[in-house]
Amino acid sequence: MPEDEKTSSHNTPLYTLHGMWCTSCALAVEGALTRLPGVIDASVHYPTATVWVKGERNAVDLTELAPVVKRLGYRLTELEAVDDAHERLEQESRYLTLRLLVGAAFGMWTMLASLLIYVGALPSASIEQVVAWISGAFALPVVVYSGLPFYRAGWRTLLAKRPGMDVLVSLGAIGAVSVSIGLLWRGSVEVYFDTAVMLIVLLLIGRLVETLCRHRGLKALDALALPDAAISAWQKGDWVLLPVNDVVAGMRVKLAPGELVTLDGILDAPGWIDTASLTGESLPRYFNAGQRVYAGCRYLGATPLVMQVTAGAGKRRLDRLRHEMRRYQAQKGELQKLADRFAAWLSPLALALSLVTLIGALLVGLGWEDALVRSLSVLVVACPCAVGLAVPLASLAGNGQAMQQGIALRDPAALEILARIHSVALDKTGTLTTGSHGVLHWQVRDGIDKHTLQHKLTSAVAGSEHPLAQALARWSGGDNNQRSKPYKVDEFPGEGRRVWLTNRQYLMVGSVRWLARQQVDVPSQAADGTLASASQVMLADESGWLATFYLTDQPVDDAEQSVKRLLASGYLVAMISGDRQGAVSWLGKRIGLPSEACYAQRSPEAKARLLCGLPSPTLFVGDGVNDTLSMAAADVSIAPLSASEAAREGASAQLMSPGVGGVVKLLNIAKRTRRVMEQNLFFSALYNTLALGVVVVMAIPPLIAVLAMAISSLSVTLNAARLAWSEPEQ
């Protein structure tokens, strides 16, 4: 569990930051906020434009923070809706496209003019002079209009005392133009207008591609969005259509056949619900009256169904999940912090190296022209675009992959930890098992076939609400045989029941001890040791004992396959449960876990202590209130689909489909995401380090430096895009 959730004395609000241009802007605002009194920590997530702040209540209030951010040239507001975020990114895309079109339209003539001069295609020096001036004229709109965002962002980061990439870009572009004008004034045609144009145009292309990737990453939240359709609600004695936002908790709403459930609620009557949008289940589920239904499901009954609302719009389970995902997106993992630190010192270092290069070149006897060109190349090649984009774009891509696989990642920073997991601990009931019993084995009196047995069992358990009786009803085929319907039932709560049939015969079903007290000759138990932990239910009729059923909580469909894949991948896998030893041992054997990896009868405190003793980093998967302590003790935690509210709140990720197969998928996604993060970070850092060293000791044309810098940034963006667009591993 993140530290901020453990500390109730501090507020951790989430805001939206407008006006950012790149990661340097994010670092500038972040630095300004962390220096404020009362602010303990702040994190600005550039890809989603979100700001997470932790500190004293008054210190992190919007009214306190907004003026500070405004002085830097940005705007801080309440957290924007996802739809507004899409609109903002679309506006940014149009903004970038327009400036890119201007840059390309005028820049191509600058490049053509420069090319004619470089290859010596012009007939005379005077014509070359004219063409050089034309090259500068066409570069002017690119440098002034298309490059304006870079200058604005550079000035803002300087105000925040956190100079970043945009300072280098601005100095590089303005420097190239200034050097070129100076050379033209002296009569030289070796101008560098093309360098300024290429620097701005290529960076604009990178920003546009990056914005499209951010747009794609944000769409991961769209899977949790619901339409704002009108809903039929009971108001003032009549059913009226109300906007979904006007329906509050406690009101009763009516679901029409086939209607999408847009609010959380409790059913007044049973019905079939399609939960595919939330769980991925291919078959609908039958919900009983009193069961909770979450927004996002679809009602499939033939008649209207009434539901009492428990959570209105904005407070639904999906709403909370979306908000938590955005909250944790604003917090940074270790790799992102490392990238930020590298980018933070790289820009000042590049400025210092540029100045040293200029002075050094003059001291060794180079002319002002050559010295300025070398200094300019240092500025251009040092732009840390790739470093700033290395981690956040890969993280967004990994989040999108997880959502596609039915995994809601509440803490995207957990991807970095999940990629390094050594131990996986799993709860038993409700996590590795379905939470409902099934028939494991049965014995029957000689001369009774299975069909007859199922017929009698259907009559014996018809109408019972006991979980074991319902499990027996499912095994027998339900109570759809009207001839077996009893006319009288004597209930003995916690022990059994006697059912009188229409033909005056009776059946008894219940525990072994209860039937023994009813003078039924109870046979010896099954010799199979694996049944010792199972729950026993016996069936009897007028002739005495009829059958014994052994029931147990069945494993989820993918439990065995998932555990075997985890073991094959080299993880230390353990099952930690508060259930009886026999039940835990049986399940461990069933799913392929060795007995020494199955821990039974553990209290919540003991489970947490045991988890802390496993090789770290650790992952815990649990669903109950008793698992929340273990979730806090683990480095990262996952809640299955059927988890309790407390478990969901404490988990870093939540599975939106039945079973535990999502655990394996998420670990695979995390490994791929971290691999891309490390690749991006390594190559971008290596590029900047080596490139700076090269341009300091030898002359490299500024245009070549621009191309090298652009290729580095585009490679990082495309590598992250490769992760987002690739097919997830199964």
Side-chain angles (χ1 to χ4, degrees):
M1 179 183 294
E3 186 65 28
D4 62 283
E5 291 191 9
K6 299 179 185 177
T7 309
S8 58
S9 59
H10 295 121
N11 270 20
T12 55
L14 194 64
Y15 302 118
T16 294
L17 183 63
H18 300 268
M20 279 197 299
W21 174 248
C22 69
T23 53
S24 297
C25 299
L27 291 175
V29 175
E30 192 174 289
L33 293 178
T34 52
R35 289 194 293 266
L36 294 176
V39 175
I40 297 174
D41 194 13
S43 178
V44 180
H45 192 244
Y46 167 63
T48 56
T50 48
V51 181
W52 173 86
V53 190
K54 177 183 178 182
E56 298 173 4
R57 181 180 299 274
N58 293 334
V60 299
D61 189 77
L62 181 63
T63 57
E64 295 292 328
L65 301 180
V68 176
V69 173
K70 186 177 180 180
R71 284 196 292 270
L72 299 177
Y74 305 97
R75 185 166 58 92
L76 193 67
T77 66
E78 296 288 353
L79 183 65
E80 64 184 356
V82 176
D83 291 340
D84 293 336
H86 278 298
E87 178 61 27
R88 173 176 51 80
L89 286 176
E90 289 175 1
Q91 289 179 356
E92 287 183 21
S93 299
R94 292 193 293 268
Y95 177 83
L96 285 168
T97 301
L98 178 59
R99 295 187 181 270
L100 180 58
L101 288 175
V102 171
F106 287 92
M108 66 178 181
W109 296 108
T110 298
M111 298 302 298
L112 178 60
S114 299
L115 181 62
L116 292 175
I117 295 173
Y118 291 156
V119 300
L122 300 175
S124 64
S126 59
I127 295 179
E128 285 184 345
Q129 188 78 13
V130 172
V131 171
W133 279 105
I134 293 174
S135 172
F138 279 110
L140 193 61
V142 181
V143 174
V144 174
Y145 177 76
S146 299
L148 180 61
F150 296 103
Y151 315 142
R152 183 188 296 120
W155 176 249
R156 289 172 176 174
T157 55
L158 279 175
L159 286 178
K161 301 177 183 178
R162 296 291 292 267
M165 179 201 69
D166 294 290
V167 174
L168 301 181
V169 173
S170 301
L171 290 177
I174 295 173
V177 173
S178 300
V179 170
S180 299
I181 292 175
L183 291 173
L184 276 174
W185 195 260
R186 292 173 51 195
S188 173
V189 296
E190 294 183 6
V191 292
Y192 300 102
F193 293 118
D194 53 345
T195 299
V197 168
M198 287 290 290
L199 179 63
I200 292 172
V201 170
L202 290 179
L203 280 174
L204 283 173
I205 293 174
R207 292 288 167 83
L208 182 58
V209 174
E210 171 199 338
T211 302
L212 295 176
C213 288
R214 290 164 59 196
H215 211 313
R216 184 181 180 90
L218 188 63
K219 286 183 178 179
L221 295 171
D222 289 344
L224 303 178
L226 292 173
D228 295 330
I231 188 170
S232 180
W234 182 258
Q235 191 176 57
K236 297 179 180 179
D238 196 9
W239 293 104
V240 295
L241 284 178
L242 293 177
V244 68
N245 292 326
D246 293 347
V247 181
V248 298
M251 295 180 66
R252 297 172 71 237
V253 298
K254 183 165 59 176
L255 303 175
E259 183 178 352
L260 181 70
V261 181
T262 53
L263 299 168
D264 296 352
I266 296 176
L267 299 178
D268 283 2
W272 287 96
I273 304 293
D274 179 9
T275 62
S277 61
L278 280 180
T279 68
E281 293 176 278
S282 58
L283 297 175
R285 294 167 53 192
Y286 188 76
F287 282 68
N288 293 313
Q291 280 192 274
R292 184 183 298 272
V293 175
Y294 292 106
C297 301
R298 189 174 296 277
Y299 172 53
L300 299 181
T303 59
L305 182 65
V306 176
M307 178 183 79
Q308 184 174 6
V309 177
T310 58
K315 298 181 179 180
R316 298 165 294 194
R317 179 182 177 185
L318 285 179
D319 296 322
R320 295 195 302 271
L321 197 57
R322 294 176 85 198
H323 183 77
E324 287 301 312
M325 287 181 65
R326 299 184 70 186
R327 171 179 294 278
Y328 283 101
Q329 278 181 339
Q331 301 179 53
K332 299 176 182 177
E334 55 179 292
L335 285 181
Q336 180 60 59
K337 292 177 180 177
L338 177 62
D340 289 347
R341 287 195 296 269
F342 183 81
W345 65 255
L346 180 60
S347 297
L349 176 63
L351 290 172
L353 280 177
S354 177
L355 182 60
V356 169
T357 302
L358 176 63
I359 296 174
L362 292 174
L363 290 177
V364 297
L366 293 179
W368 276 98
E369 179 181 335
D370 290 337
L372 286 172
V373 168
R374 285 201 179 192
S375 178
L376 180 63
S377 296
V378 170
L379 288 176
V380 171
V381 83
C383 292
C385 311
V387 178
L389 298 175
V391 175
L393 287 182
S395 179
L396 274 180
N399 275 272
Q401 287 268 293
M403 184 59 71
Q404 290 178 29
Q405 292 296 298
I407 305 163
L409 203 59
R410 302 177 69 242
D411 181 4
L415 279 174
E416 299 172 30
I417 303 175
L418 284 165
R420 300 183 292 109
I421 288 296
H422 288 162
S423 305
V424 179
L426 302 147
D427 177 47
K428 172 186 171 287
T429 305
T431 300
L432 286 172
T433 66
T434 61
S436 59
H437 283 65
V439 176
L440 179 65
H441 179 76
W442 54 280
Q443 294 174 296
V444 66
R445 187 171 67 202
D446 291 340
I448 303 295
D449 59 55
K450 183 178 180 180
H451 176 73
T452 301
L453 175 62
Q454 289 179 316
H455 176 83
K456 289 180 176 291
L457 183 61
T458 297
S459 302
V461 299
S464 175
E465 296 181 357
H466 194 284
L468 293 183
Q470 293 179 355
L472 291 172
R474 289 192 295 270
W475 181 83
S476 66
D479 57 354
N480 51 5
N481 192 327
Q482 296 300 319
R483 294 176 302 171
S484 304
K485 188 175 181 179
Y487 78 92
K488 180 182 178 182
V489 177
D490 294 330
E491 294 281 0
F492 299 85
E495 297 183 306
R497 66 187 332 219
R498 181 181 285 107
V499 176
W500 299 87
L501 305 179
T502 53
N503 55 9
R504 298 296 177 181
Q505 295 179 346
Y506 68 87
L507 295 168
M508 292 186 292
V509 60
S511 66
V512 177
R513 286 183 294 180
W514 180 72
L515 283 175
R517 291 201 303 271
Q518 306 303 314
Q519 309 303 316
V520 176
D521 187 13
V522 178
S524 59
Q525 298 181 7
D528 189 347
T530 62
L531 303 178
S533 61
S535 300
Q536 294 184 49
V537 177
M538 287 193 175
L539 179 66
D541 57 12
E542 299 92 338
S543 302
W545 174 83
L546 183 60
T548 301
F549 301 92
Y550 297 87
L551 299 95
T552 187
D553 191 0
Q554 296 292 319
V556 293
D557 292 339
D558 59 1
E560 181 178 1
Q561 178 187 4
S562 299
V563 167
K564 288 182 176 178
R565 290 183 64 183
L566 289 172
L567 291 170
S569 298
Y571 296 105
L572 188 155
V573 183
M575 177 169 54
I576 309 177
S577 174
D579 205 352
R580 295 165 295 140
Q581 182 66 57
V584 172
S585 299
W586 173 82
L587 181 62
K589 184 177 180 181
R590 174 76 178 271
I591 63 177
L593 274 178
S595 57
E596 60 270 18
C598 301
Y599 303 89
Q601 296 176 301
R602 304 284 170 153
S603 67
E605 294 81 5
K607 292 171 73 172
R609 288 194 297 269
L610 179 58
L611 187 67
C612 292
L614 298 177
S616 61
T618 55
L619 164 65
F620 184 79
V621 186
D623 72 309
V625 175
N626 63 325
D627 296 322
T628 53
L629 192 58
S630 297
M631 288 180 161
D635 293 287
V636 65
S637 56
I638 299 175
L641 174 67
S642 58
S644 66
E645 189 73 20
R648 287 198 300 269
E649 288 299 320
S652 305
Q654 183 179 343
L655 305 183
M656 304 297 287
S657 57
V660 291
V663 175
V664 181
K665 295 177 182 177
L666 184 56
L667 288 170
N668 289 334
I669 291 171
K671 287 181 178 179
R672 295 182 62 212
T673 302
R674 186 178 177 94
R675 189 160 58 242
V676 171
M677 288 179 179
E678 291 173 342
Q679 290 169 358
N680 285 352
L681 198 55
F682 173 77
F683 287 114
S684 57
L686 180 65
Y687 157 78
N688 282 96
T689 304
L690 293 179
L692 276 175
V694 171
V695 297
V696 168
V697 300
M698 61 182 295
I700 292 181
L703 184 60
I704 301 301
V706 170
L707 291 173
M709 179 273 299
I711 290 172
S712 174
S713 299
L714 285 174
S715 66
V716 166
T717 303
L718 293 176
N719 196 34
R722 178 179 60 85
L723 173 63
W725 295 330
S726 61
E727 287 295 326
E729 294 180 5
Q730 300 297 322

